[in-house]
Amino acid sequence: MIDDAIRVLAGDCTVIAEDTDRSEYRGRVTTIVKPDNTVLVHDIDGYQPVAWLTRAESVSSDRAGDFTLVAKKDTQTLRIAAHQQEGFAHYPASAAGTPVGTCPNCDGALVRSSGVHCVDCGERYGIPSDATIREERCDCGLPRMRVERGLAFDVCLDRGCESLDEAVREAFDREWNCPEPGCDGDLRILRRGGLIAGCEHYPDCDTGFALPAGIVDGDCGCGLPTFETGTGARCLDATCGRVGEYRVEAGVDD
């Protein structure tokens, strides 16, 4: 479904903002109440609201006669009272994003913001922030995406259709040894918030590393793999300082 509605209230109003001090305004203004209870009161001048309250704890309104609206957060109170009401409406709202295709469920527009969602039916797909959306479509009708996690993986947006986790696990599960001295474990590919390479002997060994966005391109001096990322070469262990050490030795061997 659509995220929620944006409420719009317009008219000749008195606006009172109270906190440590008190400000009062009157004019023909338009008040916007967003789904997160942010209240913005706009007049004719400039781009900045004449009064606002960000993410109010409560917003109440009364439409008996001309409307009134009261928003409260901690010690702040914002009151809007209409002397002459010119408009009071709810409009469907969703997050806005870059168009990436068409929803196979309803033919609505798919857009990318924090994830990918349909503007019409609201269907959502969580994707990695570094994913590249491709023009190619999966058999299910959704676009495919390219994600670098050791290799470049080409998978469907819908993890229920095609799992990035499973593709990475198939490629790298038990591929590397745990670097902890005295530990004979392998690193398993696990999801702990994000994808990690974690020791199979957890909790006895809590060694684990977040998989970076990049392509495996060699071995670090510490024995773990190196990744070529958008900011250069790095070890699987982000705290390791031996990447250059390996590369110098490799150059000598060549």
Side-chain angles (χ1 to χ4, degrees):
M1 296 178 63
I2 299 301
D3 290 352
D4 205 330
I6 291 177
R7 286 174 281 173
V8 179
L9 307 85
D12 173 9
C13 302
T14 292
V15 180
I16 299 173
E18 295 179 297
D19 193 358
T20 54
D21 54 6
R22 183 181 187 276
S23 300
E24 182 173 335
Y25 313 92
R26 178 165 177 175
R28 293 190 178 277
V29 297
T30 297
T31 299
I32 298 172
V33 184
K34 300 179 67 176
D36 67 352
N37 277 354
T38 292
V39 182
L40 308 169
V41 184
H42 288 276
D43 65 356
I44 197 171
D45 291 329
Y47 65 89
Q48 185 169 323
V50 67
W52 66 91
L53 189 56
T54 304
R55 295 188 176 91
E57 295 166 354
S58 66
V59 178
S60 59
S61 60
D62 184 355
R63 295 187 60 188
D66 290 321
F67 70 77
T68 59
L69 183 144
V70 179
K72 295 184 177 183
K73 179 181 180 180
D74 299 327
T75 60
Q76 304 174 73
T77 301
L78 181 61
R79 305 174 189 274
I80 299 99
H83 305 284
Q84 180 181 347
Q85 178 177 316
E86 296 170 354
F88 191 116
H90 290 62
Y91 297 102
S94 73
T98 304
V100 295
T102 303
C103 177
N105 298 325
C106 70
D107 291 329
L110 288 175
V111 299
R112 179 176 184 172
S113 50
S114 56
V116 172
H117 68 272
C118 175
V119 170
D120 287 351
C121 70
E123 189 70 30
R124 291 179 176 274
Y125 306 93
I127 65 171
S129 60
D130 60 297
T132 301
I133 307 298
R134 303 185 58 200
E135 292 185 4
E136 180 187 354
R137 286 180 171 266
C138 177
D139 291 342
C140 72
L142 287 168
R144 301 182 68 81
M145 63 180 176
R146 183 182 189 273
V147 183
E148 293 183 355
R149 291 294 184 273
L151 294 172
F153 295 95
D154 178 21
V155 294
C156 179
L157 288 184
D158 184 357
R159 67 181 61 187
C161 176
E162 197 170 6
S163 171
L164 173 64
D165 289 18
E166 287 301 322
V168 177
R169 190 171 293 116
E170 183 176 344
F172 295 112
D173 194 53
R174 296 188 182 277
E175 185 71 12
W176 308 304
N177 298 325
C178 177
E180 186 69 20
C183 181
D184 62 355
D186 293 332
L187 295 182
R188 307 298 306 270
I189 302 302
L190 309 167
R191 177 163 287 279
R192 298 291 185 269
L195 283 173
I196 70 166
C199 183
E200 65 176 321
H201 293 321
Y202 178 86
D204 295 328
C205 177
D206 62 0
T207 298
F209 310 99
L211 283 176
I215 303 295
V216 171
D217 68 344
D219 298 311
C220 182
C222 71
L224 289 170
T226 57
F227 289 71
E228 188 62 39
T229 73
T231 56
R234 57 152 285 186
C235 179
L236 174 62
D237 179 358
T239 66
C240 177
R242 301 181 64 182
V243 176
E245 175 184 319
Y246 162 75
R247 291 175 181 273
V248 170
E249 292 173 356
V252 172
D253 290 344
D254 290 344

